[in-house]
């Protein structure tokens, strides 16, 4: 019953807190019911009190008054079982009397009991959800194991073609021995793309800690770009981030280009650059949680930059052949999604670094129980972030992590990664054995690099004796000491004693209070050493966040409890530039560095300490395990074992031989965490993984060099030289843009005069594209006559027939279906530049007699499981309790890059979110689209989609995405949302499309549509009822298109 005493105390405190607020007496509903004689008076007082409460709440918001009621309610709900609450309520009823306070206590106890039950129900629902997900993962692993075991039993005898993946015939398998990157290879000219979108990114005077988006990741990617650019064989590194021209931030964040490192004199390197890509509102600094709707704009802008730079680098050193990126590396979830799209558009290998992961954060927030799933999602956009991370896993060849713990305990939470399955698949690839279309990204541990140039040699070779620095005449020598030394030593009675140094934020997870207790309760340790706690900067503890103030207050209490005055230093302020001096002071005293965190994802401070010759003691949970294994300079401890912490510190400090051995090993092995070592490991792993990636790259059709007619065959010197800055120059002369335009127009007129009519349809010479992507189906899923009628109206809406504007049709229909529909309505197919069919899996060119784009087929083939996924789709897509014939294969429409399935009306089928989850858990990487008003399901390659097909054509034909206009209805197939966003203009025609498939897109727990489509996009316009040619022309005029 001790628990009930605590509850009673909390409940009494809640009542007292309510009564003590400026003498206000709050009347509860129960009070009014308990005394019918004074109903009128109570009602009047209730209204008056309500008004006074409102005024008090406004005052509290202004003054940020601490609310004790909320504190005690949270304590009761989170700390006690509902049975304790129920017993307290029974006791209150049994002892209640007519007193107003007793009635209020009963009423409040009942209400808090309901709160506790609700919290328990939420926890129960979450537990069930996790259980279902775990069972589904086990089923996925079991399915994969069955397939792989079938292959291994007598695989030598099973040599028929059905066991060989078509894609693997063109991809070199992984070699068992990875070649280490050599500095001697100077012949390579690698172009590397790094992407880090959010936060404030610049090369100098980084504003680290200004906000939650500008932290260690910013410092890491800037230093990585510089280090890679200084590596032999790397020619240019571009770090892509968002351009910010907001008055809230410095103007440097609005500069399009910033040089991070200068080009080398020998011409071996072009240097590293920050490239700022505009996306979203230009005048606003947007936090990462609100950036999601603008991701497609960033992708399109980044694609344009990369293509221009590839051309420029190719002209400079590769005989005009584009120099495509060696790798595209996304940092964090948002940049991971960007990298996935760019990798698919350019067929370039992708690498992902998570930095911190959404699913891990989501689970932690759920366990705390303070926010519901809906609140977490709306605050952190957590489901949108998780989907971006899953998309990154789909596309990534390699995932870079800092520790093994990150692989097993964090990435292991994701649908798209299973450690056991990844290991099996890796072994099979090495043996040259088919993996049945399954793919898992390779996880590699590459610790972040560090710059040790600031560490002076004498720091490492010092004897640690402070007598030469702190003599008997302290005032005489004080001026020679770094200021932070004086600040620390003023706390200490004997600063000559070895220093135990801890450096971290005042966060409960850093476990500083356990360290202080261990020090305070170990007499031998207190006699031997001093303790220095560097816990951030503070002016007033009461003004700090609640968690920080609690930690610092506890520190002060323990110092007083154990009487540690003169033995513990806890300075209020220090500068970032003074941190090296703090490490130096600890090393001079033959001290030890300790990181006792409950869990440490990496442990950068351990490496910093080792660079100054400090042995370390660190938590056994997380990254320190790998660090100490590599450095061999310290001991691991259980962060909950107070005595173990004290024993480890005492062992290192008391045994001088062990201390010197730890110091020597740390200094000897520290190079493993240097930036040059990091880059060598990084490039070696990238080269290793590139063997799994197709070597085919996009071929750009140079519009200016196309043979436009027989009379132009003798025309020479039509090549353009592209400068590194992206400016076009013709024969070295100025004003090249005007000259180029005039030249093209002149050549076009000559070609037209010679009677070459077909040239006007050549897509390589278009100045813009009109893209029709309206999904016009009736209730049965049949294509209606509205589609061909609308196609004809769009063609009529162009102002001239000079061939400046081309037409592309994007559809979920097959080629046979769309040709039949257009032909019946007498649409001239030859006027259409491209037909993108089967949800973006096939491209045909009517102006080439409907020739298929075989390069596009090869382009999207990457990770396509082919026949291996064909039969499993029907089983996975069928909902619980669904009939066998709810979804069946539509064999007549299936092709090598698209498997189509017919969905019976009213069938129980899974939504896209569920189906993606189940496919990922089994290692299948596909794009899935419901089309034909939910009556058909198309399964296509990962890199195939209608939106990605547009990016492919943009690069192939050299037409900027901002020169495209996409026409859609108000609804459509399940890939509809992704057609609305990006740099292109979008025209939404109201009433054109009657039936869509959006009801089978997302679950209730998924992210919202506003997380994909910006509400304030200037590129989206609406066309009301009526879509004749004149209506379309008028709408185009409003978008600035004539």
């Amino acid at each position: 019953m001790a628990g009930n005493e605590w509850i009673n105390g909390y409940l009494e405190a809640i009542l007292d807190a309510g009564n003590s607020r400026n003498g206000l007496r709050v009347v509860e509903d129960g009070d009014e019911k308990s005394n019918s004689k004074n109903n009128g008076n109570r009602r009047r007082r209730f209204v008056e009190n309500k008004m006074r409460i409102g005024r008090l709440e406004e005052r509290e918001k202004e003054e940020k008054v601490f609310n004790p009621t909320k504190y005690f309610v949270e304590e009761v709900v989170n700390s006690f079982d509902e049975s304790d609450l129920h017993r307290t309520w029974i006791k209150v009823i049994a002892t209640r009397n007519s007193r107003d306070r007793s009635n209020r206590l009963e009423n409040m106890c009942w209400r808090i009991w309901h709160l506790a039950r609700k919290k328990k129900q939420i926890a129960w629902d979450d537990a069930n959800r996790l259980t279902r997900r775990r069972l589904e993962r086990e089923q996925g692993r079991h399915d994969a194991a069955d397939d792989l075991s079938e292959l291994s039993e007598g695989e030598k005898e099973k040599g028929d073609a059905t066991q060989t993946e078509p894609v693997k015939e063109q991809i070199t398998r992984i070699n068992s021995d990875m070649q280490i990157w050599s500095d001697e290879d100077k012949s390579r000219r690698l172009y590397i793309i790094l992407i880090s979108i959010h936060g404030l990114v610049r090369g100098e005077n980084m504003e680290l800690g200004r906000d939650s988006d500008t932290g260690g990741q910013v410092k890491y990617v800037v230093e990585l770009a510089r280090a890679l650019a200084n590596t032999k064989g790397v020619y240019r590194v571009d770090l892509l981030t968002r351009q910010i021209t907001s008055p809230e931030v410095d103007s440097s964040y609005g500069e399009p280009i910033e040089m991070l490192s200068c080009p080398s004199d020998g011409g071996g390197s072009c240097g590293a650059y920050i490239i700022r890509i505009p996306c979203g509102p230009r005048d606003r600094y947007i936090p990462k949680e609100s950036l999601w709707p603008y991701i497609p704009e960033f992708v399109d802008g980044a694609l344009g930059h990369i293509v221009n730079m590839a051309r420029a680098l190719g002209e400079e050193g590769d005989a005009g052949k584009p120099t495509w990126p060696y790798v595209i590396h996304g940092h964090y979830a948002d940049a991971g999604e960007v990298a996935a799209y760019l990798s698919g558009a350019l067929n370039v290998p992708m690498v992902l670094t998570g930095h911190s992961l959404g699913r891990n954060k989501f689970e932690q927030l759920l366990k705390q129980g303070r926010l519901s799933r809906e609140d977490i999602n709306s605050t952190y956009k957590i489901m949108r972030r998780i989907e971006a991370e899953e998309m990154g896993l789909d596309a990534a060849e390699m995932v870079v992590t800092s520790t093994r713990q990150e692989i097993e305990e964090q990435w292991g939470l994701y649908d798209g990664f299973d450690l056991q399955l990844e290991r099996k698949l890796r072994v099979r690839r090495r043996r040259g054995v088919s993996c049945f279309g399954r793919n898992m990204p390779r996880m590699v541990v590459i610790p972040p690099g560090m710059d040790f140039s600031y560490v002076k040699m004498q720091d490492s070779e010092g004897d640690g004796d402070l007598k030469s620095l702190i003599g008997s005449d302290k005032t005489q020598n004080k001026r020679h000491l770094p200021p932070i030394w004086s600040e620390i030593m003023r706390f200490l009675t004997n600063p000559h004693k070895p220093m135990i140094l801890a450096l971290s934020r005042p966060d409960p997870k850093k476990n500083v209070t356990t360290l202080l207790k261990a020090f305070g309760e170990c007499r031998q340790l207190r006699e031997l050493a001093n303790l220095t706690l560097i816990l951030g900067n503070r002016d007033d503890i009461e003004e700090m966040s609640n968690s920080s103030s609690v930690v610092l207050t506890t520190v002060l209490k323990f110092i007083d409890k154990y009487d540690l005055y003169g033995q513990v230093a806890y300075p209020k302020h220090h500068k970032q530039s003074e941190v090296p001096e703090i490490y130096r002071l600890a090393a001079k005293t033959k001290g030890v560095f300790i990181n006792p965190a409950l869990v440490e994802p990496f442990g950068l401070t351990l490496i910093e300490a080792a660079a100054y010759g400090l042995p370390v003691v660190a938590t056994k949970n997380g990254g320190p395990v790998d660090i100490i294994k590599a450095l061999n300079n310290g001991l691991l401890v259980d962060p909950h074992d107070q005595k173990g912490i004290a024993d480890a510190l005492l062992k290192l400090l008391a045994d001088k031989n062990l201390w010197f051995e730890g110091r020597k090993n740390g200094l000897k092995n520290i190079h493993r965490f240097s930036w040059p070592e990091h880059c060598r490991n990084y490039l070696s792993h990238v080269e290793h993984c590139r063997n799994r990636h197709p070597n085919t790259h996009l071929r750009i059709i140079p519009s200016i060099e196309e043979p436009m007619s027989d009379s132009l065959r003798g025309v020479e010197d039509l090549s353009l030289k592209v400068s590194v800055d992206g400016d076009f120059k013709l024969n070295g002369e100025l004003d090249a843009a005007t000259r180029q335009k005039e030249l093209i127009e002149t050549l076009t007129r000559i070609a037209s005069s010679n009677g070459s009519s077909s040239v006007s349809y050549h897509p390589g010479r278009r100045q813009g594209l009109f893209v029709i992507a309206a999904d016009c189906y009736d209730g049965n899923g049949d294509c209606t006559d509205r589609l061909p009628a609308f196609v004809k109206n769009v063609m009529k809406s162009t102002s001239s027939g000079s061939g400046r504007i081309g037409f592309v049709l994007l559809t979920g229909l097959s080629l046979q279906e769309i040709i039949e529909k257009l032909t019946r309505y007498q649409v001239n197919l030859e006027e259409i530049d491209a037909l993108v069919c089967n949800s973006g899996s096939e491209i045909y060119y009517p102006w080439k007699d409907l020739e298929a784009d075989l390069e596009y087929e090869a382009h999207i083939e990457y990770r396509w499981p082919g026949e291996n996924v064909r039969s499993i789709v029907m089983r996975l897509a069928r909902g619980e309790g669904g009939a066998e014939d709810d979804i069946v294969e539509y064999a007549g429409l299936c092709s090598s890059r698209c498997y189509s399935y017919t969905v019976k009306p009213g069938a129980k089928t899974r939504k896209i979110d569920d189906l993606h989850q189940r496919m990922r858990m089994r290692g299948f990487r596909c794009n899935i689209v419901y089309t034909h008003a939910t009556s058909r399901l198309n399964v296509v390659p990962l890199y195939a989609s209608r939106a990605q097909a547009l990016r492919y054509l943009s690069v192939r034909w050299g037409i900027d995405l901002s020169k495209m206009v996409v026409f859609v209805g108000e609804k459509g197939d399940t890939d509809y949302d992704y057609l609305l966003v990006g740099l292109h203009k979008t025209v939404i025609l109201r009433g054109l499309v009657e039936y869509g498939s959006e009801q089978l897109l997302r679950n209730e727990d998924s992210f919202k549509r506003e997380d994909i489509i910006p509400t304030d996009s200037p590129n989206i316009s609406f066309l009301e009822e009526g879509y004749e040619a004149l209506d379309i022309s008028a709408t185009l005029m409003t978008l600035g298109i004539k």
Side-chain angles (χ1 to χ4, degrees):
M1 293 296 291
N4 284 84
E5 294 301 323
W6 278 99
I7 293 178
N8 295 340
Y10 282 143
L11 295 178
E12 293 289 342
I14 294 171
L15 291 178
D16 292 339
N19 285 334
S20 64
R21 296 172 68 182
N22 291 351
L24 175 66
R25 183 177 177 278
V26 182
V27 180
E28 300 281 350
D29 295 340
D31 297 330
E32 296 184 50
K33 294 177 183 177
S34 66
N35 197 340
S36 59
K37 294 181 181 180
N38 298 319
N39 256 354
N41 293 335
R42 289 187 182 282
R43 190 172 293 108
R44 184 177 65 255
R45 283 159 49 198
F46 182 78
V47 172
E48 291 174 356
N49 285 341
K50 205 166 185 181
M51 293 175 64
R52 293 170 66 187
I53 288 173
R55 290 194 295 271
L56 276 173
E57 287 177 346
E58 290 181 5
R59 193 184 310 163
E60 281 189 1
K61 288 179 182 177
E62 295 175 1
E63 300 176 1
K64 296 183 180 178
V65 177
F66 173 69
N67 187 345
T69 302
K70 180 180 178 183
Y71 171 83
F72 288 118
V73 169
E74 285 184 351
E75 285 295 312
V76 173
V77 171
N78 293 325
S79 305
F80 298 96
D81 189 81
E82 61 179 275
S83 58
D84 292 329
L85 277 166
H86 189 260
R87 283 196 296 270
T88 298
W89 178 67
I90 294 294
K91 181 178 179 181
V92 169
I93 292 177
T95 59
R96 72 176 172 185
N97 51 42
S98 59
R99 288 187 304 165
D100 178 67
R101 183 179 179 88
S102 180
N103 290 330
R104 290 176 59 212
L105 186 61
E106 175 190 348
N107 182 277
M108 182 177 58
C109 187
W110 176 262
R111 287 160 65 183
I112 295 179
W113 181 55
H114 275 290
L115 274 176
R117 287 181 63 85
K118 184 177 179 181
K119 178 178 180 291
K120 195 169 186 177
Q121 183 62 45
I122 291 173
W124 174 260
D125 292 341
D126 288 334
N128 285 337
R129 177 184 58 82
L130 291 174
T131 300
R132 288 194 299 271
R133 187 169 176 275
R134 185 166 58 250
L135 291 174
E136 184 60 40
R137 290 197 67 174
E138 288 298 326
Q139 183 61 46
R141 186 181 296 167
H142 183 265
D143 289 349
D146 284 348
D147 284 349
L148 298 178
S149 63
E150 286 176 14
L151 180 65
S152 60
E153 293 172 2
E155 74 190 32
K156 291 184 179 180
E157 289 77 21
K158 298 180 182 180
D160 56 280
T162 58
Q163 298 214 10
T164 304
E165 298 165 310
V167 65
K168 298 303 177 188
E169 295 175 1
Q170 301 179 14
I171 301 176
T172 307
R173 69 180 178 89
I174 287 184
N175 299 319
S176 58
D177 297 322
M178 185 176 68
Q179 298 298 317
I180 302 300
W181 190 265
S182 173
D183 284 344
E184 298 177 359
D185 187 4
K186 302 180 182 180
S187 60
R188 309 186 74 166
R189 289 168 51 90
L190 304 184
Y191 176 34
I192 294 176
I193 298 292
L194 307 178
I195 308 172
S196 182
I197 298 179
H198 63 261
L200 300 171
V201 182
R202 65 183 180 190
E204 303 297 334
N205 301 317
M206 287 179 275
E207 300 182 74
L208 303 181
R210 169 173 172 151
D211 54 48
S212 59
D213 291 354
T214 309
Q217 178 181 327
V218 171
K219 184 173 184 288
Y220 172 81
V221 294
V222 169
E223 292 185 354
L224 174 61
R226 285 194 177 115
L228 283 171
N230 291 330
T231 303
K232 296 294 194 309
V234 176
Y235 186 68
R236 180 181 173 111
V237 179
D238 282 347
L239 170 56
L240 309 186
T241 190
R242 179 174 178 256
Q243 185 182 34
I244 307 166
T245 56
S246 169
E248 305 172 40
V249 301
D250 190 79
S251 60
S252 61
Y253 300 112
E255 293 296 325
I257 301 176
E258 178 184 343
M259 182 182 288
L260 287 177
S261 64
C262 298
S264 61
D265 296 334
S269 172
C270 182
Y273 301 84
I274 295 176
I275 307 296
R276 298 187 175 91
I277 308 292
C279 73
R282 304 292 187 264
D283 58 345
R284 281 168 48 201
Y285 174 45
I286 304 174
K288 61 178 179 291
E289 291 82 9
S290 302
L291 270 178
W292 294 111
Y294 309 110
I295 293 292
E297 284 185 46
F298 191 94
V299 173
D300 292 349
L303 183 63
H305 166 78
I306 294 172
V307 171
N308 288 336
M309 188 54 59
R311 285 171 167 167
L313 295 177
E315 289 286 344
E316 194 175 288
D318 202 5
K321 183 181 177 181
T323 300
W324 296 112
Y326 180 70
V327 68
I328 297 176
H329 189 162
H331 294 266
Y332 194 77
D334 46 14
E337 180 172 323
V338 172
Y341 282 127
L342 291 175
S343 173
L346 298 171
N347 206 15
V348 170
M350 173 201 163
V351 172
L352 174 65
T353 299
H355 291 277
S356 67
L357 300 182
R359 199 175 284 281
N360 185 53
K361 181 174 184 176
F362 185 45
E363 301 297 340
Q364 289 179 353
L365 290 171
L366 283 176
K367 287 178 182 178
Q368 290 176 4
R370 296 180 179 177
L371 293 174
S372 65
R373 293 175 59 88
E374 294 75 16
D375 291 337
I376 295 171
N377 203 12
S378 62
T379 303
Y380 300 102
K381 306 296 181 185
I382 204 78
M383 301 311 296
R384 181 70 178 86
R385 175 179 170 183
I386 289 172
E387 177 57 27
E389 289 161 340
E390 293 282 10
M391 190 181 302
L393 287 174
D394 285 342
E397 280 288 348
M398 180 174 84
V399 178
V400 176
T401 69
S402 299
T403 65
R404 289 184 177 83
Q405 180 263 350
E406 183 181 344
I407 298 174
E408 297 167 1
E409 299 181 17
Q410 297 185 44
W411 282 115
L413 298 173
Y414 284 77
D415 302 329
F417 181 74
D418 183 278
L419 185 60
Q420 296 180 24
L421 182 55
E422 190 274 332
R423 287 172 176 167
K424 289 181 180 179
L425 296 177
R426 197 185 337 146
V427 169
R428 289 178 175 274
R429 288 193 193 94
R430 287 176 178 173
R431 295 167 54 197
V433 176
S434 170
C435 295
F436 275 96
R438 290 175 165 83
N439 278 282
M440 286 283 167
R442 178 71 187 275
M443 298 272 172
V444 297
V445 178
I446 309 178
M450 288 189 61
D451 180 13
F452 299 121
S453 60
Y454 56 83
V455 181
K456 299 177 182 178
M457 185 60 65
Q458 57 264 33
D459 296 337
S460 303
E461 297 177 354
D463 59 7
D465 189 2
L466 278 181
K467 292 180 180 179
S468 60
L469 297 172
I470 309 175
S472 57
D473 187 1
K474 295 184 180 181
T475 57
Q476 180 180 354
N477 290 280
K478 190 173 182 179
R479 64 178 180 272
H480 301 296
L481 300 178
I484 190 63
W485 286 22
S486 302
E487 177 64 19
I488 291 173
M489 290 189 293
R490 72 183 179 88
F491 287 89
L492 306 175
T493 304
N494 182 1
H496 293 274
K497 292 165 64 175
M499 177 189 293
I500 301 169
L501 173 63
L503 191 154
S504 69
R505 302 188 313 274
D507 189 309
K509 293 181 290 187
K510 297 302 180 181
N511 202 32
V512 177
T513 52
T514 301
L515 167 63
L516 195 56
K517 288 176 67 178
F519 182 77
E521 295 181 7
C522 181
R523 180 183 57 81
Q524 291 175 300
L525 198 58
R526 292 198 313 272
E527 293 175 351
L528 177 62
N530 294 319
L531 176 62
T532 297
L533 304 176
I534 308 296
L535 304 175
N537 292 285
R538 63 186 183 277
D539 291 318
D540 188 344
I541 292 178
E542 293 183 355
E543 294 178 357
M544 302 181 73
S545 65
N546 185 52
S547 60
S548 297
S549 63
V550 167
V551 170
L552 289 167
T553 302
T554 305
V555 166
L556 296 177
K557 287 180 178 179
F558 281 169
I559 290 173
D560 188 73
K561 175 181 178 180
Y562 297 111
D563 193 16
L564 300 177
Y565 297 104
Q567 295 175 284
V568 178
Y570 44 96
K572 295 182 69 170
H573 298 98
H574 73 281
K575 299 175 183 177
Q576 186 65 28
S577 59
E578 292 177 322
V579 171
E581 298 294 347
I582 298 173
Y583 287 125
R584 287 184 61 223
L585 176 60
K588 289 287 184 183
T589 63
K590 293 190 175 68
V592 171
F593 181 82
I594 181 169
N595 181 339
L598 298 176
V599 177
E600 182 58 64
F602 180 61
L604 203 59
T605 52
L606 296 173
I607 302 172
E608 291 177 344
Y612 288 92
L614 277 171
V616 299
V617 173
T619 176
K620 68 176 185 178
N621 299 329
V625 176
D626 295 322
I627 293 174
I628 290 183
K629 182 179 179 181
L631 295 179
N632 191 26
N633 72 328
L635 302 173
L636 295 171
V637 294
D638 181 348
H640 301 284
D641 184 359
Q642 183 179 309
K643 185 177 184 301
I645 293 173
D647 289 345
L649 289 169
L650 200 59
K651 184 177 181 180
L652 271 179
L653 290 170
D655 188 338
K656 290 188 176 181
N657 291 331
L658 185 62
W659 187 91
F660 275 109
E661 183 182 353
R663 171 189 174 88
K664 181 183 69 175
N665 290 341
L667 292 172
K668 180 179 70 175
N669 298 322
I670 196 66
H671 70 90
R672 298 185 181 184
F673 296 93
S674 67
W675 275 119
E677 184 70 15
H678 177 95
C679 291
R680 278 192 293 271
N681 287 336
Y682 173 81
L683 292 171
S684 299
H685 281 292
V686 171
E687 179 69 16
H688 186 55
C689 286
R690 278 176 59 88
N691 290 330
R692 294 169 55 188
H693 201 282
N695 295 321
T696 57
H697 291 294
L698 260 174
R699 184 170 59 89
I700 301 175
I701 299 178
S703 60
I704 202 74
E705 296 179 359
E706 285 294 322
M708 302 169 75
S709 71
D710 293 338
S711 63
L712 299 177
R713 294 187 187 277
V715 178
E716 298 179 355
D717 197 18
L718 296 180
S719 62
L720 293 176
K721 182 179 180 181
V722 185
S723 72
V724 176
D725 296 329
D727 298 327
F728 292 89
K729 297 182 179 181
L730 182 62
N731 299 329
E733 297 177 9
L734 299 175
D735 199 15
T738 305
R739 292 285 306 278
Q740 180 191 1
K741 183 178 179 181
E742 291 176 355
L743 177 61
I744 293 175
E745 291 176 352
T746 302
L747 295 177
T748 303
R749 285 196 299 271
I750 295 173
S752 301
S753 66
N754 287 341
S756 179
S757 59
S758 63
V759 73
S760 63
Y761 298 118
H762 198 287
R765 294 185 32 249
R766 302 300 192 196
Q767 295 181 19
L769 287 179
F770 284 179
V771 182
I772 298 101
D775 303 317
C776 301
Y777 304 108
D778 60 20
N780 297 320
D782 297 323
C783 183
T784 66
D785 292 339
R786 290 186 176 187
L787 177 61
F790 180 64
V791 171
K792 294 183 73 172
N793 289 337
V794 171
M795 290 178 174
K796 292 177 184 177
S797 67
T798 55
S799 58
S800 66
S802 62
R804 293 186 304 108
I805 300 296
F807 303 99
V808 174
L809 183 59
L810 306 180
T811 180
L813 296 164
S814 67
L815 178 65
Q816 301 94 309
E817 290 173 319
I818 190 60
I819 289 178
E820 180 183 347
K821 199 68 183 178
L822 295 178
T823 304
R824 186 185 303 168
Y825 214 86
Q826 297 181 345
V827 176
N828 186 2
L829 290 176
E830 292 183 359
E831 294 184 18
I832 299 176
D833 288 343
L835 291 172
V836 181
C837 305
N838 280 335
S839 302
S841 62
E842 300 164 5
I843 298 179
Y844 299 92
Y845 301 117
W847 55 277
K848 282 188 175 182
D849 298 325
L850 287 173
E851 177 183 304
D853 190 333
L854 299 181
E855 290 190 23
Y856 182 69
E857 287 192 14
H859 186 82
I860 63 174
E861 190 177 33
Y862 177 62
R863 290 199 170 177
W864 173 232
E867 292 290 333
N868 299 293
V869 80
R870 192 166 187 167
S871 60
I872 199 172
V873 170
M874 291 183 286
R875 177 166 60 85
L876 296 182
R878 196 176 298 122
E880 294 182 9
E884 288 290 330
D885 61 345
D886 276 353
I887 177 168
V888 295
E889 183 179 314
Y890 197 152
L893 294 181
C894 290
S895 66
S896 62
R897 298 293 179 272
C898 176
Y899 297 139
S900 294
Y901 304 84
T902 300
V903 181
K904 188 173 70 175
K908 295 181 179 179
T909 55
R910 298 191 187 277
K911 295 185 178 182
I912 291 293
D913 281 354
D914 286 339
L915 191 47
H916 254 142
Q917 181 188 59
R918 283 159 175 76
M919 298 281 274
R920 284 165 172 159
M921 287 178 173
R922 288 158 177 80
F924 292 123
R925 314 293 176 172
C926 303
N927 193 12
I928 309 162
V929 182
Y930 279 107
T931 179
H932 290 66
T934 72
S935 66
R936 188 180 298 176
L937 175 67
N938 284 342
V939 179
V940 299
L942 175 67
Y943 284 168
S945 73
R946 292 192 286 178
Q948 284 292 85
L950 276 188
R951 293 187 175 111
Y952 170 85
L953 292 175
S954 168
V955 177
R956 191 92 160 84
W957 293 345
I959 301 175
D960 195 273
L961 284 159
S962 63
K963 304 297 183 184
M964 298 185 185
V965 181
V966 178
F967 297 90
V968 296
E970 291 181 275
K971 57 184 71 174
D973 299 346
T974 51
D975 62 350
Y976 166 82
D977 289 347
Y978 297 95
L979 295 171
L980 305 182
V981 289
L983 287 182
H984 63 258
K985 306 293 189 297
T986 302
V987 178
I988 300 176
L989 296 102
R990 299 189 190 277
L992 179 64
V993 176
E994 295 182 71
Y995 299 93
S997 303
E998 62 278 357
Q999 63 267 34
L1000 289 179
L1001 179 56
R1002 298 187 191 96
N1003 294 319
E1004 294 179 359
D1005 294 338
S1006 184
F1007 55 89
K1008 307 302 180 185
R1009 197 178 185 215
E1010 55 265 27
D1011 297 332
I1012 294 181
I1013 304 172
T1015 57
D1016 54 352
S1017 175
N1019 292 333
I1020 299 177
S1021 63
F1022 290 84
L1023 179 58
E1024 302 299 332
E1025 299 286 346
Y1027 39 87
E1028 297 298 325
L1030 291 177
D1031 301 321
I1032 296 171
S1033 297
T1035 302
L1036 293 175
M1037 291 287 286
T1038 62
L1039 290 172
I1041 301 171
K1042 299 181 181 179

